[in-house]
Amino acid sequence: MSTSNWPRWIADLHRLLPVRAQFVLTGNVRDVFLTPGEDGTTLTSLVECLWEALTPHGYQFLAVHDRADGLRVYPPGSATEELASQLLGVRFQGGQAEISLAQLPRRLRALVQSREVRAAVILDFAARLVVNPQQLSEPEVEFFAACEKLAQIAHPLARPGDSGAPIYNPLLWVCPRDTDLPSWYLLDNEPIHGLALAKPHFEERQTAAMILAPSFTGFDEADTAARDSFTRSFAELSEGMTLKAMLDITQLARAQHLGLAEIADAVRSYQVGTLDNPWKRDYLRDKIRAAEVQALKRVKGQPQAVIKAVDILMRSVMGLTGAHTTVRSG
């Protein structure tokens, strides 16, 4: 399957499924993610993104565990719950199953070694499984030792009828930092591979902006140039942000009936909690209009520097982006 439209870490996961038994997902794990599908690219949660990425490989369900909710099956439904219940030997009620930390590795062993069922395990919020990953209690050491053995005894398996290379039923740890797990667990452990989830780059933010644009007032009436200007501006203004932050900005804009041309105000509202932009006040605009003449009178021998400074101020007042890169010639 093509991986060109997936996030980089998903492409790495696809590539390594035949050779790695476990993955440790760190970094920007609480974001939403660009997920290609039949109806186009959408923004989904981590679990949904993983499911969409693994489904083409024949995976039948994800077993998702966290300390707060226990064990659940994704996607939810009686058929997947019945399949997971038979394989794991647990009973699901209301879509969840209570299971202790001590019991978890033994239950997962059947899944990891299954030759009939293609499934994956997600240990979500793995940073909360233990109190201190570098000072484990005896039961916690036993848990990680059992999981380490799972990595060592697992093998890539081909189900009857599979046409591709054998792949693992992997275990995926999800935590912000690799230091959230014991250092010895990851050290020189070849079956375990780290996947760092970076914050979205410009092109990813621009794609997200295209997806979110219809939620802004006036989108249907806007022409192609206005829509293109919006997506570029939103991607520039959201530098360093997550896609979830862009989604939150869009929800604020919808609630305040902001249009495509007001994206800077929407971002400002998210960042500082107000739509009021002091740069747009009339008396400041008048001062800046006269600033070049006054500055040239006071600053001698540096006309280019004066023009550049005034240009940056004027572009800020006009709500334009790229004020630091575009300067009038003079």
Side-chain angles (χ1 to χ4, degrees), residues 5-231:
N5 296 324
W6 288 95
R8 171 63 184 273
W9 62 273
I10 285 287
D12 289 341
L13 176 64
H14 283 146
R15 178 173 54 85
L16 293 170
L17 278 173
V19 294
R20 293 289 188 269
Q22 296 185 19
F23 297 87
V24 179
L25 279 57
T26 59
N28 189 35
V29 295
R30 297 299 158 211
D31 204 355
V32 293
F33 302 91
L34 295 171
T35 305
E38 293 182 358
D39 298 325
T41 300
T42 57
L43 295 171
T44 69
S45 69
L46 179 69
V47 171
E48 292 170 319
C49 183
L50 284 167
W51 171 246
E52 293 298 329
L54 292 173
T55 299
H57 292 284
Y59 286 84
Q60 296 162 270
F61 68 87
L62 304 178
V64 185
H65 176 274
D66 67 68
R67 190 164 185 172
D69 294 328
L71 190 66
R72 61 187 175 92
V73 177
Y74 190 89
S78 57
T80 51
E81 287 180 13
E82 178 63 25
L83 181 61
S85 179
Q86 293 176 1
L87 184 62
L88 300 173
V90 297
R91 182 181 178 184
F92 291 91
Q93 293 183 329
Q96 297 178 344
E98 295 294 330
I99 186 169
S100 69
L101 200 64
Q103 296 172 328
L104 188 57
R106 180 168 56 87
R107 300 295 187 183
L108 298 182
R109 187 167 187 159
L111 185 152
V112 168
Q113 295 184 311
S114 174
R115 293 182 177 273
E116 301 298 327
V117 176
R118 180 76 73 212
V121 181
I122 300 175
L123 295 181
D124 206 357
F125 297 94
R128 300 293 174 258
L129 288 174
V130 298
V131 176
N132 185 338
Q134 310 313 328
Q135 295 181 0
L136 301 177
S137 65
E138 188 62 29
E140 292 169 346
V141 171
E142 292 176 359
F143 166 75
F144 278 102
C147 289
E148 182 182 28
K149 186 172 182 179
L150 282 180
Q152 298 296 331
I153 65 175
H155 296 284
L157 302 171
R159 295 183 307 163
D162 283 354
S163 58
I167 56 177
Y168 283 92
N169 279 358
L171 192 159
L172 301 103
W173 304 79
V174 180
C175 48
R177 297 167 295 275
D178 55 14
T179 54
D180 291 325
L181 301 179
S183 56
W184 57 265
Y185 189 77
L186 303 175
L187 186 62
D188 297 328
N189 204 340
E190 287 188 353
I192 303 176
H193 184 82
L195 293 174
L197 282 60
K199 283 190 176 180
H201 53 67
F202 178 84
E203 288 77 13
E204 290 175 320
R205 298 196 308 276
Q206 194 168 29
T207 300
M210 294 177 188
I211 295 170
L212 298 171
S215 296
F216 284 76
T217 300
F219 172 82
D220 291 335
E221 296 76 25
D223 58 21
T224 301
R227 294 180 182 183
D228 290 345
S229 176
F230 165 82
T231 57

